[in-house]
PDB file of all heavy atoms in Angstrom:
ATOM      1  N   ASP A  17       0.934 -12.768   0.697  1.00 95.00           N
ATOM      2  CA  ASP A  17      -0.493 -12.693   1.024  1.00 95.00           C
ATOM      3  C   ASP A  17      -0.735 -12.137   2.415  1.00 95.00           C
ATOM      4  O   ASP A  17      -1.873 -11.839   2.775  1.00 95.00           O
ATOM      5  CB  ASP A  17      -1.175 -14.049   0.842  1.00 95.00           C
ATOM      6  CG  ASP A  17      -0.675 -15.109   1.809  1.00 95.00           C
ATOM      7  OD1 ASP A  17       0.383 -14.912   2.447  1.00 95.00           O
ATOM      8  OD2 ASP A  17      -1.334 -16.166   1.919  1.00 95.00           O
ATOM      9  N   GLY A  18       0.334 -11.974   3.200  1.00 96.00           N
ATOM     10  CA  GLY A  18       0.179 -11.303   4.486  1.00 96.00           C
ATOM     11  C   GLY A  18      -0.269  -9.864   4.327  1.00 96.00           C
ATOM     12  O   GLY A  18      -0.872  -9.287   5.250  1.00 96.00           O
ATOM     13  N   LEU A  19      -0.005  -9.277   3.170  1.00 98.00           N
ATOM     14  CA  LEU A  19      -0.534  -7.949   2.853  1.00 98.00           C
ATOM     15  C   LEU A  19      -1.863  -8.043   2.110  1.00 98.00           C
ATOM     16  O   LEU A  19      -2.869  -7.473   2.539  1.00 98.00           O
ATOM     17  CB  LEU A  19       0.468  -7.162   2.008  1.00 98.00           C
ATOM     18  CG  LEU A  19      -0.030  -5.793   1.508  1.00 98.00           C
ATOM     19  CD1 LEU A  19      -0.225  -4.835   2.669  1.00 98.00           C
ATOM     20  CD2 LEU A  19       0.933  -5.204   0.480  1.00 98.00           C
ATOM     21  N   SER A  20      -1.885  -8.791   1.006  1.00 96.00           N
ATOM     22  CA  SER A  20      -3.064  -8.768   0.131  1.00 96.00           C
ATOM     23  C   SER A  20      -4.292  -9.417   0.754  1.00 96.00           C
ATOM     24  O   SER A  20      -5.419  -9.081   0.387  1.00 96.00           O
ATOM     25  CB  SER A  20      -2.737  -9.445  -1.207  1.00 96.00           C
ATOM     26  OG  SER A  20      -2.287 -10.772  -1.018  1.00 96.00           O
ATOM     27  N   ASP A  21      -4.103 -10.347   1.705  1.00 93.00           N
ATOM     28  CA  ASP A  21      -5.261 -10.956   2.367  1.00 93.00           C
ATOM     29  C   ASP A  21      -5.961  -9.996   3.317  1.00 93.00           C
ATOM     30  O   ASP A  21      -7.162 -10.138   3.568  1.00 93.00           O
ATOM     31  CB  ASP A  21      -4.835 -12.201   3.154  1.00 93.00           C
ATOM     32  CG  ASP A  21      -4.821 -13.454   2.300  1.00 93.00           C
ATOM     33  OD1 ASP A  21      -5.147 -13.366   1.095  1.00 93.00           O
ATOM     34  OD2 ASP A  21      -4.475 -14.524   2.830  1.00 93.00           O
ATOM     35  N   LEU A  22      -5.200  -9.044   3.863  1.00 94.00           N
ATOM     36  CA  LEU A  22      -5.747  -8.189   4.914  1.00 94.00           C
ATOM     37  C   LEU A  22      -6.052  -6.770   4.457  1.00 94.00           C
ATOM     38  O   LEU A  22      -6.902  -6.092   5.047  1.00 94.00           O
ATOM     39  CB  LEU A  22      -4.772  -8.129   6.095  1.00 94.00           C
ATOM     40  CG  LEU A  22      -4.548  -9.440   6.862  1.00 94.00           C
ATOM     41  CD1 LEU A  22      -3.577  -9.213   8.004  1.00 94.00           C
ATOM     42  CD2 LEU A  22      -5.859  -9.995   7.389  1.00 94.00           C
ATOM     43  N   VAL A  23      -5.374  -6.308   3.442  1.00 97.00           N
ATOM     44  CA  VAL A  23      -5.547  -4.925   2.992  1.00 97.00           C
ATOM     45  C   VAL A  23      -6.216  -4.944   1.621  1.00 97.00           C
ATOM     46  O   VAL A  23      -5.662  -5.466   0.656  1.00 97.00           O
ATOM     47  CB  VAL A  23      -4.191  -4.196   2.912  1.00 97.00           C
ATOM     48  CG1 VAL A  23      -4.398  -2.736   2.515  1.00 97.00           C
ATOM     49  CG2 VAL A  23      -3.462  -4.287   4.254  1.00 97.00           C
ATOM     50  N   PRO A  24      -7.425  -4.400   1.507  1.00 95.00           N
ATOM     51  CA  PRO A  24      -8.145  -4.425   0.230  1.00 95.00           C
ATOM     52  C   PRO A  24      -7.395  -3.670  -0.860  1.00 95.00           C
ATOM     53  O   PRO A  24      -6.610  -2.751  -0.591  1.00 95.00           O
ATOM     54  CB  PRO A  24      -9.476  -3.735   0.562  1.00 95.00           C
ATOM     55  CG  PRO A  24      -9.601  -3.808   2.050  1.00 95.00           C
ATOM     56  CD  PRO A  24      -8.211  -3.772   2.589  1.00 95.00           C
ATOM     57  N   ASP A  25      -7.656  -4.065  -2.101  1.00 96.00           N
ATOM     58  CA  ASP A  25      -6.975  -3.428  -3.229  1.00 96.00           C
ATOM     59  C   ASP A  25      -7.201  -1.922  -3.256  1.00 96.00           C
ATOM     60  O   ASP A  25      -6.293  -1.164  -3.623  1.00 96.00           O
ATOM     61  CB  ASP A  25      -7.455  -4.044  -4.544  1.00 96.00           C
ATOM     62  CG  ASP A  25      -6.860  -5.426  -4.788  1.00 96.00           C
ATOM     63  OD1 ASP A  25      -6.102  -5.910  -3.915  1.00 96.00           O
ATOM     64  OD2 ASP A  25      -7.145  -6.012  -5.846  1.00 96.00           O
ATOM     65  N   ALA A  26      -8.396  -1.486  -2.882  1.00 96.00           N
ATOM     66  CA  ALA A  26      -8.678  -0.046  -2.905  1.00 96.00           C
ATOM     67  C   ALA A  26      -7.768   0.708  -1.945  1.00 96.00           C
ATOM     68  O   ALA A  26      -7.278   1.804  -2.255  1.00 96.00           O
ATOM     69  CB  ALA A  26     -10.143   0.205  -2.567  1.00 96.00           C
ATOM     70  N   MET A  27      -7.511   0.122  -0.777  1.00 97.00           N
ATOM     71  CA  MET A  27      -6.615   0.771   0.184  1.00 97.00           C
ATOM     72  C   MET A  27      -5.166   0.681  -0.292  1.00 97.00           C
ATOM     73  O   MET A  27      -4.394   1.639  -0.130  1.00 97.00           O
ATOM     74  CB  MET A  27      -6.753   0.136   1.565  1.00 97.00           C
ATOM     75  CG  MET A  27      -5.870   0.784   2.617  1.00 97.00           C
ATOM     76  SD  MET A  27      -6.107   0.098   4.276  1.00 97.00           S
ATOM     77  CE  MET A  27      -7.771   0.683   4.612  1.00 97.00           C
ATOM     78  N   ILE A  28      -4.786  -0.449  -0.883  1.00 98.00           N
ATOM     79  CA  ILE A  28      -3.435  -0.559  -1.436  1.00 98.00           C
ATOM     80  C   ILE A  28      -3.203   0.534  -2.467  1.00 98.00           C
ATOM     81  O   ILE A  28      -2.155   1.199  -2.483  1.00 98.00           O
ATOM     82  CB  ILE A  28      -3.220  -1.953  -2.059  1.00 98.00           C
ATOM     83  CG1 ILE A  28      -3.149  -3.016  -0.962  1.00 98.00           C
ATOM     84  CG2 ILE A  28      -1.944  -1.980  -2.899  1.00 98.00           C
ATOM     85  CD1 ILE A  28      -3.042  -4.440  -1.484  1.00 98.00           C
ATOM     86  N   ALA A  29      -4.177   0.741  -3.353  1.00 98.00           N
ATOM     87  CA  ALA A  29      -4.052   1.780  -4.377  1.00 98.00           C
ATOM     88  C   ALA A  29      -3.893   3.157  -3.741  1.00 98.00           C
ATOM     89  O   ALA A  29      -3.074   3.972  -4.197  1.00 98.00           O
ATOM     90  CB  ALA A  29      -5.266   1.752  -5.298  1.00 98.00           C
ATOM     91  N   GLU A  30      -4.652   3.425  -2.700  1.00 98.00           N
ATOM     92  CA  GLU A  30      -4.561   4.725  -2.033  1.00 98.00           C
ATOM     93  C   GLU A  30      -3.184   4.918  -1.406  1.00 98.00           C
ATOM     94  O   GLU A  30      -2.569   5.993  -1.525  1.00 98.00           O
ATOM     95  CB  GLU A  30      -5.643   4.822  -0.957  1.00 98.00           C
ATOM     96  CG  GLU A  30      -5.662   6.124  -0.193  1.00 98.00           C
ATOM     97  CD  GLU A  30      -6.028   7.337  -1.042  1.00 98.00           C
ATOM     98  OE1 GLU A  30      -6.706   7.152  -2.077  1.00 98.00           O
ATOM     99  OE2 GLU A  30      -5.617   8.464  -0.674  1.00 98.00           O
ATOM    100  N   LEU A  31      -2.653   3.874  -0.774  1.00 98.00           N
ATOM    101  CA  LEU A  31      -1.350   3.991  -0.113  1.00 98.00           C
ATOM    102  C   LEU A  31      -0.209   4.081  -1.114  1.00 98.00           C
ATOM    103  O   LEU A  31       0.846   4.656  -0.806  1.00 98.00           O
ATOM    104  CB  LEU A  31      -1.146   2.800   0.824  1.00 98.00           C
ATOM    105  CG  LEU A  31      -2.138   2.711   1.994  1.00 98.00           C
ATOM    106  CD1 LEU A  31      -1.903   1.445   2.805  1.00 98.00           C
ATOM    107  CD2 LEU A  31      -2.043   3.940   2.884  1.00 98.00           C
ATOM    108  N   LEU A  32      -0.395   3.530  -2.303  1.00 98.00           N
ATOM    109  CA  LEU A  32       0.655   3.604  -3.324  1.00 98.00           C
ATOM    110  C   LEU A  32       0.822   5.011  -3.890  1.00 98.00           C
ATOM    111  O   LEU A  32       1.751   5.247  -4.673  1.00 98.00           O
ATOM    112  CB  LEU A  32       0.350   2.625  -4.456  1.00 98.00           C
ATOM    113  CG  LEU A  32       0.652   1.146  -4.148  1.00 98.00           C
ATOM    114  CD1 LEU A  32       0.108   0.247  -5.245  1.00 98.00           C
ATOM    115  CD2 LEU A  32       2.153   0.914  -3.971  1.00 98.00           C
ATOM    116  N   ARG A  33      -0.028   5.919  -3.496  1.00 96.00           N
ATOM    117  CA  ARG A  33       0.126   7.306  -3.934  1.00 96.00           C
ATOM    118  C   ARG A  33       1.305   7.982  -3.251  1.00 96.00           C
ATOM    119  O   ARG A  33       1.803   9.002  -3.735  1.00 96.00           O
ATOM    120  CB  ARG A  33      -1.152   8.089  -3.646  1.00 96.00           C
ATOM    121  CG  ARG A  33      -2.366   7.608  -4.431  1.00 96.00           C
ATOM    122  CD  ARG A  33      -3.627   8.349  -4.038  1.00 96.00           C
ATOM    123  NE  ARG A  33      -3.499   9.786  -4.252  1.00 96.00           N
ATOM    124  CZ  ARG A  33      -4.437  10.675  -3.911  1.00 96.00           C
ATOM    125  NH1 ARG A  33      -5.556  10.266  -3.326  1.00 96.00           N
ATOM    126  NH2 ARG A  33      -4.256  11.952  -4.154  1.00 96.00           N
ATOM    127  N   THR A  34       1.768   7.431  -2.128  1.00 93.00           N
ATOM    128  CA  THR A  34       2.930   7.997  -1.441  1.00 93.00           C
ATOM    129  C   THR A  34       4.137   7.972  -2.371  1.00 93.00           C
ATOM    130  O   THR A  34       4.404   6.965  -3.031  1.00 93.00           O
ATOM    131  CB  THR A  34       3.240   7.193  -0.164  1.00 93.00           C
ATOM    132  OG1 THR A  34       2.070   7.153   0.661  1.00 93.00           O
ATOM    133  CG2 THR A  34       4.384   7.819   0.605  1.00 93.00           C
ATOM    134  N   GLU A  35       4.878   9.062  -2.431  1.00 91.00           N
ATOM    135  CA  GLU A  35       5.908   9.199  -3.460  1.00 91.00           C
ATOM    136  C   GLU A  35       7.112   8.309  -3.225  1.00 91.00           C
ATOM    137  O   GLU A  35       7.591   7.639  -4.141  1.00 91.00           O
ATOM    138  CB  GLU A  35       6.352  10.662  -3.552  1.00 91.00           C
ATOM    139  CG  GLU A  35       7.354  10.910  -4.668  1.00 91.00           C
ATOM    140  CD  GLU A  35       7.648  12.387  -4.852  1.00 91.00           C
ATOM    141  OE1 GLU A  35       6.956  13.223  -4.246  1.00 91.00           O
ATOM    142  OE2 GLU A  35       8.591  12.692  -5.604  1.00 91.00           O
ATOM    143  N   ASP A  36       7.641   8.259  -2.023  1.00 96.00           N
ATOM    144  CA  ASP A  36       8.880   7.537  -1.756  1.00 96.00           C
ATOM    145  C   ASP A  36       8.613   6.039  -1.615  1.00 96.00           C
ATOM    146  O   ASP A  36       7.766   5.626  -0.810  1.00 96.00           O
ATOM    147  CB  ASP A  36       9.510   8.067  -0.468  1.00 96.00           C
ATOM    148  CG  ASP A  36      10.730   7.275  -0.059  1.00 96.00           C
ATOM    149  OD1 ASP A  36      11.690   7.232  -0.837  1.00 96.00           O
ATOM    150  OD2 ASP A  36      10.699   6.675   1.041  1.00 96.00           O
ATOM    151  N   PRO A  37       9.323   5.175  -2.366  1.00 97.00           N
ATOM    152  CA  PRO A  37       9.057   3.731  -2.285  1.00 97.00           C
ATOM    153  C   PRO A  37       9.240   3.149  -0.883  1.00 97.00           C
ATOM    154  O   PRO A  37       8.453   2.301  -0.460  1.00 97.00           O
ATOM    155  CB  PRO A  37      10.064   3.134  -3.278  1.00 97.00           C
ATOM    156  CG  PRO A  37      10.342   4.226  -4.246  1.00 97.00           C
ATOM    157  CD  PRO A  37      10.285   5.490  -3.439  1.00 97.00           C
ATOM    158  N   GLN A  38      10.282   3.565  -0.164  1.00 97.00           N
ATOM    159  CA  GLN A  38      10.502   3.019   1.180  1.00 97.00           C
ATOM    160  C   GLN A  38       9.360   3.396   2.119  1.00 97.00           C
ATOM    161  O   GLN A  38       8.862   2.560   2.882  1.00 97.00           O
ATOM    162  CB  GLN A  38      11.831   3.507   1.746  1.00 97.00           C
ATOM    163  CG  GLN A  38      12.176   2.904   3.108  1.00 97.00           C
ATOM    164  CD  GLN A  38      12.419   1.418   3.044  1.00 97.00           C
ATOM    165  OE1 GLN A  38      13.301   0.939   2.358  1.00 97.00           O
ATOM    166  NE2 GLN A  38      11.630   0.645   3.792  1.00 97.00           N
ATOM    167  N   SER A  39       8.941   4.650   2.062  1.00 97.00           N
ATOM    168  CA  SER A  39       7.819   5.083   2.899  1.00 97.00           C
ATOM    169  C   SER A  39       6.544   4.351   2.510  1.00 97.00           C
ATOM    170  O   SER A  39       5.733   3.972   3.363  1.00 97.00           O
ATOM    171  CB  SER A  39       7.621   6.592   2.765  1.00 97.00           C
ATOM    172  OG  SER A  39       8.756   7.291   3.218  1.00 97.00           O
ATOM    173  N   THR A  40       6.369   4.135   1.216  1.00 98.00           N
ATOM    174  CA  THR A  40       5.178   3.431   0.748  1.00 98.00           C
ATOM    175  C   THR A  40       5.163   1.999   1.264  1.00 98.00           C
ATOM    176  O   THR A  40       4.135   1.502   1.758  1.00 98.00           O
ATOM    177  CB  THR A  40       5.114   3.426  -0.782  1.00 98.00           C
ATOM    178  OG1 THR A  40       5.174   4.759  -1.269  1.00 98.00           O
ATOM    179  CG2 THR A  40       3.838   2.773  -1.272  1.00 98.00           C
ATOM    180  N   ALA A  41       6.279   1.299   1.142  1.00 98.00           N
ATOM    181  CA  ALA A  41       6.351  -0.083   1.621  1.00 98.00           C
ATOM    182  C   ALA A  41       6.083  -0.148   3.120  1.00 98.00           C
ATOM    183  O   ALA A  41       5.364  -1.037   3.598  1.00 98.00           O
ATOM    184  CB  ALA A  41       7.718  -0.673   1.295  1.00 98.00           C
ATOM    185  N   ALA A  42       6.641   0.791   3.863  1.00 98.00           N
ATOM    186  CA  ALA A  42       6.421   0.809   5.305  1.00 98.00           C
ATOM    187  C   ALA A  42       4.958   1.078   5.643  1.00 98.00           C
ATOM    188  O   ALA A  42       4.389   0.458   6.553  1.00 98.00           O
ATOM    189  CB  ALA A  42       7.312   1.867   5.958  1.00 98.00           C
TER     190      ALA A  42
END
């Protein structure tokens, strides 16, 4: 919840567009 409490789902979805999983997680 350190991520989901602070970053809205819409922004999470946008950031998940990054292709590389490691870069996305970072």
Side-chain angles (χ1 to χ4, degrees):
D17 65 345
L19 175 67
S20 57
D21 274 0
L22 294 181
V23 183
D25 285 2
M27 181 176 292
I28 290 176
E30 180 66 25
L31 296 176
L32 283 171
R33 295 176 59 184
T34 305
E35 184 173 351
D36 175 60
Q38 184 66 60
S39 298
T40 304

